[in-house]
Amino acid sequence: MPTRAPRAPSAPVCLAEEEHGASGEFSCVTWSRGPRKVPVIVFHAEAVLSREPSLLAVGERYHLAYKMVRTDSRLVRSILSSHGFQEVNANSNDFNLMWTGSHIKPHLMRSLASFQKVNHFPRSYELTRKDRLYKNVQRMQQTHGIRSFNLLPQTYLLPGEYQDFCNAFSKDRGPWIVKPVASSRGRGVYLVNSPSQISMEENLLVSRYISNPLLIDGFKFDVRLYVLITSYDPLVIYLYEEGLTRFATVRYDRAAKNIKNQFMHLTNYSVNKRSSDYVSCDDPEVEDYGNKWSMSAMLRYLKQEGKDTAALMSQVEDLIIKTVISGEFPIATACKSFQVHRGNCFELYGFDVLIDGNLRPWLLEVNLSPSLACDAPLDMKVKASMISDMLTLVGVECQDPQQRPGHDKRVPRPQRPLSASDIDTGLQLVSREKNGRSCVLGLSTEEVKILRGLLDEEARRGGFVRIFPRHDTWTLYGSFLEHKTSLNYMLAMHLFPNRSVTNDPRPTLHAALYERKLVSLQLRRARRHRLAHRTVLPRPANSCAEEEEDEDPIEVEELEDVQEQNGPPVDSQTPPASLPRTSIMQLLQEGANLSKVQARLAFSGYLQRVQSRLQSERDTESVLPKDEEQMELVMRFLQRAASNLQHSVSLNLPGRCVALQERRHLLAKQLGDFICLYDKETSRLSSEELGVNALDFQAFLTKASERQLEELLTFYTHKNKSASVFLGRSHNKDAGGGQPGEWP
């Protein structure tokens, strides 16, 4: 591909257009902290489904560019091109992002401008070559003890340690696994039960085979985890909250006769996809079927089996942090020698982890360029979201690469004015610095820049979880760091000023992130499209639902504009029959689903409509058959449903001898008491599960009629084949939630 010709300077871009896109559907730009505001592009995974004009606009106006070197990642290319990036020749220097499948040479590293990004650090092979990883872990074991860095199964490097291996084999004649030191995708890997079976023609790594792997339905599996490093000095580690679980295609059997069956013992996708027993899933919403699951589906399965998944993920984080720290010293030293600008490099590692029968994770290998191939819908769902979140986190600046220093013409980037929200309330970072020292914190200009950069990353992290430095992990692993500079301690001092507090609840809270179901790209795209057309109404006073985390907050001015157009808020007790423009029923029919909280809120809204009908005035005291039937349904419902609440309800249901109006009044009061307790229990439920768009749902709930809510609940019950979410599982058949006809 030829290098682009020089261009004339382009006009400054309108800030409003950059932030909200041409149609207001996407937030395309965010801003860095500090006195010099820098626009940073925000990537959206759902853009790979189609070329959105609002996303293309920013990349095209800034003439953003990328180049591919010794790799051909179609997914990365698709994400970048859908955001307006142009691909340039591999020899061009006019790029914002270089994506390469190999390490870059020192002279190219030194030539990078401050805004340019490359996806590898110098000497990353210290972790990704099996022999270097083993040596680095071994060095940490010698320094801190084997128990502190017991990350790998017992391992030997051949031929140099052949005699030591033979001595170990004589004590334990179980199977051992042999791997070339610089291979991937299961190539050259085989099992042996005798040293004589090992070829000594090349450097090999031989490890004790983990013969008690954790099995699911009898099959062995491993987990591919995505680990992002944005800096080695100071060390900053992120773990993506979703990964892939890869299964063998033959049920596991420890018998020696099966030692050569790769489809039983190896879990690599590249190996098992050749098996006639490989099962692929074509539905991106199904994450626990076939030979590849999502990591969160695996964790949810283990949790249902009674396994402590929070403790498991804590051990996984421990393994990742210690592994990275093992290679920290040589990589950080190389960065100091070759990196001119701290922000040039980032690294996405693919960690392969095996879990044994004792729920202990073991490190199998670390991959330099983890596969981004999308051979199944689940691959696209996980990897597109992960790559988009990664590119957003590392911070690709909106800088025309042809206007870098050294070119004749430069176009100044628009500068965003400071606002009150730019003040960091926790750290009190200020924009004015004097004599290279921060006038408030006593930090150097470079230290303030690093601190602000980490806060920017945290604001843009998406699905990535910062596992180091964190309050608890700094306390546990800070002393293991070998690259002795003050920057790690500077971060810890200002991020965690109260380090004496040991009972930090955050590690327990964030463990649940790894079990959340990832939203599909199609649903994310549909939600984004609705942002420009949704109707915004105030939340009902009795609603206990929380807004979903991925929705943009509603500005006061926007709310006032909508209310001015639509008139005053509608009383939730007497809602009109008209619905918002986004049909919740249509979304459910198209494959979306309500969250548990939303389902309960819909049921509460339905009961409120029934209560309102009971309270309505009647001109006649005569008892119509329909009135008797409705009141009988309400009493039967209350009798059966009250036992499902955590707190008991005192029922005093009226008999037939009570006058009609009084009977209605008493039933309405009893139903109101039930709704009050029911809503309190709903408010205590976790709202992390994703359902339909929170604002669309609230608009529907505010305006829907009793009949419309009944239709929604009926469809939801049939769709999910259960109504237990409304009132619990123990009495769902007797609580009136099992069949629509039993609802009052």
Side-chain angles (χ1 to χ4, degrees), residues 35 77 82 111-112 137 149 225 332 343 395 401 430 469 529 601 614 621 644 648-649 651 666 719:
R77 180 178 278 113
S82 66
S111 68
L112 295 175
V137 172
F149 278 81
L225 299 160
V430 295
H529 274 294
L601 288 173
L614 288 172
E621 285 286 334
N644 290 69
S648 60
V649 180
L651 294 178
L666 291 173
K719 178 182 176 69

Side-chain angles (χ1 to χ4, degrees), residues 190-304:
Y190 57 96
L191 272 66
V192 299
N193 51 23
S194 171
S196 61
Q197 298 172 333
I198 301 177
S199 172
M200 300 299 241
E201 296 179 358
E202 59 178 332
N203 292 333
L204 297 171
L205 210 69
V206 56
S207 301
R208 188 183 301 277
Y209 182 71
I210 299 174
S211 56
N212 66 326
L214 182 66
L215 305 177
I216 291 182
D217 198 23
F219 292 91
K220 181 180 176 181
F221 66 92
D222 74 353
V223 186
R224 164 60 58 86
L225 299 160
Y226 298 102
V227 177
L228 175 64
I229 311 293
T230 57
S231 171
Y232 269 97
D233 183 24
L235 182 60
V236 181
I237 310 172
Y238 295 90
L239 171 61
Y240 199 60
E241 61 186 22
E242 186 61 282
L244 293 172
T245 305
R246 306 169 306 179
F247 288 85
T249 47
V250 176
R251 293 182 187 274
Y252 183 73
D253 187 346
R254 294 181 59 176
K257 64 181 180 180
N258 299 314
I259 194 170
K260 293 185 179 181
N261 191 336
Q262 287 191 321
F263 299 142
M264 175 186 294
H265 296 289
L266 301 186
T267 51
N268 307 73
Y269 166 72
S270 55
V271 172
N272 284 281
K273 70 179 181 181
R274 301 195 301 266
S275 170
S276 59
D277 296 320
Y278 187 85
V279 178
S280 180
C281 180
D282 297 327
D283 188 348
E285 294 305 312
V286 178
E287 300 180 3
D288 57 355
Y289 174 79
N291 286 90
K292 187 182 289 185
W293 292 12
S294 68
M295 181 183 73
S296 61
M298 178 269 295
L299 291 173
R300 293 192 297 269
Y301 175 89
L302 294 181
K303 192 169 188 176
Q304 291 176 353

Side-chain angles (χ1 to χ4, degrees), residues 382-448:
V382 172
K383 295 176 183 180
S385 298
M386 182 269 297
I387 291 295
S388 298
D389 287 351
M390 179 197 69
L391 293 175
T392 301
L393 188 153
V394 300
V396 179
E397 298 180 12
C398 296
Q399 166 70 53
D400 187 335
Q402 288 199 12
Q403 309 304 329
R404 59 187 289 187
H407 288 70
D408 292 332
K409 297 178 180 179
R410 298 186 65 191
V411 178
R413 287 181 296 198
Q415 299 297 309
R416 182 181 180 182
L418 292 174
S419 65
S421 62
D422 294 323
I423 300 174
D424 301 319
T425 56
L427 299 173
Q428 298 297 313
L429 293 175
V430 295
S431 61
R432 187 176 57 182
E433 295 163 5
K434 184 177 181 181
N435 298 325
R437 307 294 297 183
S438 168
C439 57
V440 170
L441 293 178
L443 300 178
S444 69
T445 303
E446 184 70 11
E447 289 171 334
V448 171

Side-chain angles (χ1 to χ4, degrees), residues 515-529:
E515 298 175 14
R516 296 194 302 188
K517 185 179 176 68
L518 193 65
V519 182
S520 68
L521 303 185
Q522 291 82 355
L523 183 56
R524 287 173 59 171
R525 181 169 175 264
R527 288 178 177 176
R528 291 290 181 182
H529 274 294

Side-chain angles (χ1 to χ4, degrees), residues 17-298:
E17 289 185 62
E18 284 188 13
E19 287 191 316
H20 304 293
S23 63
E25 297 176 16
F26 292 88
S27 176
C28 303
V29 170
T30 186
W31 295 82
S32 66
R33 300 171 189 251
R36 180 174 171 268
K37 294 290 180 182
V38 176
V40 175
I41 189 167
V42 176
F43 292 83
H44 298 270
E46 55 270 32
V48 300
L49 302 178
S50 62
R51 296 176 68 86
E52 299 283 351
S54 58
L55 291 179
L56 292 168
V58 176
E60 291 174 348
R61 292 198 180 189
Y62 281 114
H63 309 292
L64 303 182
Y66 71 96
K67 69 177 183 177
M68 293 278 184
V69 180
R70 297 184 180 179
T71 188
D72 184 25
S73 175
R74 284 182 285 181
L75 177 59
V76 174
R77 180 178 278 113
S78 176
I79 291 173
L80 292 172
S81 61
S82 66
H83 288 79
F85 283 67
Q86 296 296 317
E87 185 172 2
V88 298
N89 187 278
N91 296 321
S92 173
N93 292 323
D94 297 330
F95 62 87
N96 299 84
L97 174 69
M98 179 170 74
W99 191 268
T100 174
S102 60
H103 299 283
I104 62 175
K105 297 179 180 179
H107 73 276
L108 294 177
M109 182 73 72
R110 295 190 181 100
S111 68
L112 295 175
S114 61
F115 67 88
Q116 292 179 312
K117 303 285 184 183
V118 62
N119 66 319
H120 291 307
F121 283 97
R123 293 189 69 172
S124 280
Y125 59 80
E126 294 286 348
L127 291 178
T128 58
R129 274 185 61 100
K130 297 179 180 63
D131 53 347
R132 297 304 309 149
L133 172 64
Y134 163 64
K135 286 296 185 182
N136 286 319
V137 172
Q138 187 183 58
R139 186 187 71 256
M140 299 301 286
Q141 290 177 341
Q142 293 171 352
T143 305
H144 302 284
I146 294 179
R147 292 186 62 182
S148 296
F149 278 81
N150 194 14
L151 314 175
L152 302 166
Q154 187 178 2
T155 300
Y156 297 95
L157 186 60
L158 306 183
E161 298 177 351
Y162 180 77
Q163 189 58 50
D164 293 334
F165 163 61
C166 291
N167 294 336
F169 181 84
S170 64
K171 298 177 182 178
D172 183 358
R173 295 182 176 272
W176 291 69
I177 188 167
V178 181
K179 305 176 183 179
V181 298
S183 69
S184 60
R185 293 178 289 180
R187 292 173 295 188
V189 179
Y190 57 96
L191 272 66
V192 299
N193 51 23
S194 171
S196 61
Q197 298 172 333
I198 301 177
S199 172
M200 300 299 241
E201 296 179 358
E202 59 178 332
N203 292 333
L204 297 171
L205 210 69
V206 56
S207 301
R208 188 183 301 277
Y209 182 71
I210 299 174
S211 56
N212 66 326
L214 182 66
L215 305 177
I216 291 182
D217 198 23
F219 292 91
K220 181 180 176 181
F221 66 92
D222 74 353
V223 186
R224 164 60 58 86
L225 299 160
Y226 298 102
V227 177
L228 175 64
I229 311 293
T230 57
S231 171
Y232 269 97
D233 183 24
L235 182 60
V236 181
I237 310 172
Y238 295 90
L239 171 61
Y240 199 60
E241 61 186 22
E242 186 61 282
L244 293 172
T245 305
R246 306 169 306 179
F247 288 85
T249 47
V250 176
R251 293 182 187 274
Y252 183 73
D253 187 346
R254 294 181 59 176
K257 64 181 180 180
N258 299 314
I259 194 170
K260 293 185 179 181
N261 191 336
Q262 287 191 321
F263 299 142
M264 175 186 294
H265 296 289
L266 301 186
T267 51
N268 307 73
Y269 166 72
S270 55
V271 172
N272 284 281
K273 70 179 181 181
R274 301 195 301 266
S275 170
S276 59
D277 296 320
Y278 187 85
V279 178
S280 180
C281 180
D282 297 327
D283 188 348
E285 294 305 312
V286 178
E287 300 180 3
D288 57 355
Y289 174 79
N291 286 90
K292 187 182 289 185
W293 292 12
S294 68
M295 181 183 73
S296 61
M298 178 269 295

